[in-house]
Amino acid sequence: MKTLFLLFASAALLSAEELKPAALPAQSTCTDGSYQIRFDGTKQLALDFPLKLKPGNWYRIQFDARSRKGAGEDRFLSALRFGGRNRYQAFQANTAWSRHVNFFYAQEADGQYSLILKRSQAGPDTVEFREIRCTGLDDADFRRNLFPDGDFESGDPAVPAFPWRKGGTAEVTDCGFLTGEYSLVLRNPRSPHSAPYMISATLPVRRGKPYRLSLWVKANGNGSVCLTFETLRKEIPVSGEWQKIEWRFTTPADFPRMARLMIRMQHELRTLMLDCVSFSEQ
């Protein structure tokens, strides 16, 4: 998907470190590592966390968030900054606590991680963050499923696995999948005049390594879905029955170290259902 934190030695890199912000924005309080921000929506606010890292390593930042208004409008961003470069990831906050995960590659020793509340026309809100932690990744982590909540069994309407959606609506609900209680549904309200898509949370990628992307899909009828993983692309047929899709590939030498999966419905589809989304190194 953390109070000011320093990672000092390689022995400490694999332990979870709590991050602390350099300063608290106005209208905010901190109690036992939980941050509450009373946000009027008229001015962007941010919690900025300085990072001390080991260049050439991958890291995972996780945090819990909740919002009195709940999931809906895209009002929140996380940002990773090295030098003058920023990399953003949207997230949504539900009325209950949602767990979010960001993966990143340390290009430099000094960086900054930010949780941003964007200016909004939605009016005042109270937003809370807790359990903001950073952990270094090892080889075994890359062989586990890197998708946060890829089976959607948290039932979280914030959908941490796919925080960006465009042109359609997404919800987590019971779709009659083989196991579990929840699946992710992307709906196309303007078919056949639009092609909605979702973009995943950032995933860590090592160059020249073999990877496997696996997911179960079902649609309202026959059609196709386009999978794009940065520079790689695959079109898959879908139907009104659940089917398992596997995509195996080896990342090229110049592949980005932080990548996102985009899933785009084709114009003819009105509903696309997903479950058991998995991405791991083989």
Side-chain angles (χ1 to χ4, degrees), residues 4 10 14 16 18 39 48 51 59 75 87 92 137 145 171 202 205 211 215 238 255-256 260 266 279-280:
L4 168 66
S10 59
L14 298 183
E18 187 179 7
F39 180 53
D48 298 324
L51 301 176
Y59 294 85
R75 293 171 290 135
R87 186 176 180 94
Q92 298 207 22
L137 301 185
N145 185 9
E171 66 173 323
T202 301
V205 179
Y211 284 89
L215 66 159
V238 294
F255 199 77
R260 299 185 180 109
Q266 299 304 336
F279 175 75
S280 60

Side-chain angles (χ1 to χ4, degrees), residues 1 60-66 89-94 97-102 113 129 131 148 156 158-161 163:
M1 135 315 262
R60 164 192 167 114
I61 290 180
Q62 72 174 42
F63 62 92
D64 295 343
R66 68 179 177 183
Q89 177 168 302
F91 66 93
Q92 298 207 22
N94 188 27
W97 287 108
S98 297
R99 171 65 50 88
H100 300 271
V101 175
N102 293 176
Y113 183 75
F129 299 101
E131 298 292 328
D156 189 346
V159 196

Side-chain angles (χ1 to χ4, degrees), residues 209-225:
K209 297 286 188 177
Y211 284 89
R212 172 181 170 269
L213 173 68
S214 172
L215 66 159
W216 284 79
V217 295
K218 178 183 177 181
N220 62 293
N222 294 333
S224 60
V225 171

Side-chain angles (χ1 to χ4, degrees), residues 20 39 52 65 68 140 148 179 182 211 220 232 239 270:
K20 293 182 180 178
F39 180 53
K52 282 289 185 182
R68 186 166 294 172
T179 61
Y182 295 105
Y211 284 89
N220 62 293
L232 305 177
S239 70
R270 291 192 63 85

Side-chain angles (χ1 to χ4, degrees), residues 95-243:
T95 52
W97 287 108
S98 297
R99 171 65 50 88
H100 300 271
V101 175
N102 293 176
F103 292 101
F104 68 93
Y105 177 79
Q107 300 164 287
E108 302 170 12
D110 297 310
Q112 178 177 283
Y113 183 75
S114 300
L115 294 172
I116 301 170
L117 283 62
K118 297 162 55 179
R119 292 176 57 186
S120 171
Q121 302 297 320
D125 195 2
T126 299
V127 184
E128 296 175 88
F129 299 101
R130 71 179 185 186
E131 298 292 328
I132 310 168
R133 301 186 179 279
C134 184
T135 311
L137 301 185
D138 60 17
D139 285 343
D141 291 317
F142 280 90
R143 292 190 289 273
R144 301 186 181 102
N145 185 9
L146 294 166
F147 257 97
D149 194 31
D151 59 6
F152 311 110
E153 285 307 302
S154 71
D156 189 346
V159 196
F162 289 94
W164 267 303
R165 279 92 73 182
K166 184 72 173 178
T169 62
E171 66 173 323
V172 177
T173 187
D174 186 352
C175 295
F177 185 60
L178 305 175
T179 61
E181 186 175 354
Y182 295 105
S183 301
L184 176 60
V185 184
L186 180 63
R187 304 186 192 280
N188 181 359
R190 299 181 59 240
S191 174
H193 305 292
S194 67
Y197 63 85
M198 303 181 294
I199 299 178
S200 75
T202 301
L203 300 168
V205 179
R206 298 197 286 192
R207 294 169 174 172
K209 297 286 188 177
Y211 284 89
R212 172 181 170 269
L213 173 68
S214 172
L215 66 159
W216 284 79
V217 295
K218 178 183 177 181
N220 62 293
N222 294 333
S224 60
V225 171
C226 183
L227 307 179
T228 304
F229 193 60
E230 298 295 331
T231 58
L232 305 177
R233 185 178 183 275
K234 181 180 181 68
E235 190 162 319
I236 60 173
V238 294
S239 70
E241 301 294 332
W242 283 107
Q243 58 181 310

Side-chain angles (χ1 to χ4, degrees), residues 5-8 13 19 50-59 61 80-82 104-112 134-136:
F5 96 115
L6 300 175
L7 295 177
F8 293 105
L13 288 175
L19 294 181
L51 301 176
K52 282 289 185 182
L53 306 166
K54 184 176 180 181
N57 280 30
W58 279 263
Y59 294 85
I61 290 180
L80 182 68
R81 182 178 182 86
F82 287 105
F104 68 93
Y105 177 79
Q107 300 164 287
E108 302 170 12
D110 297 310
Q112 178 177 283
C134 184
T135 311

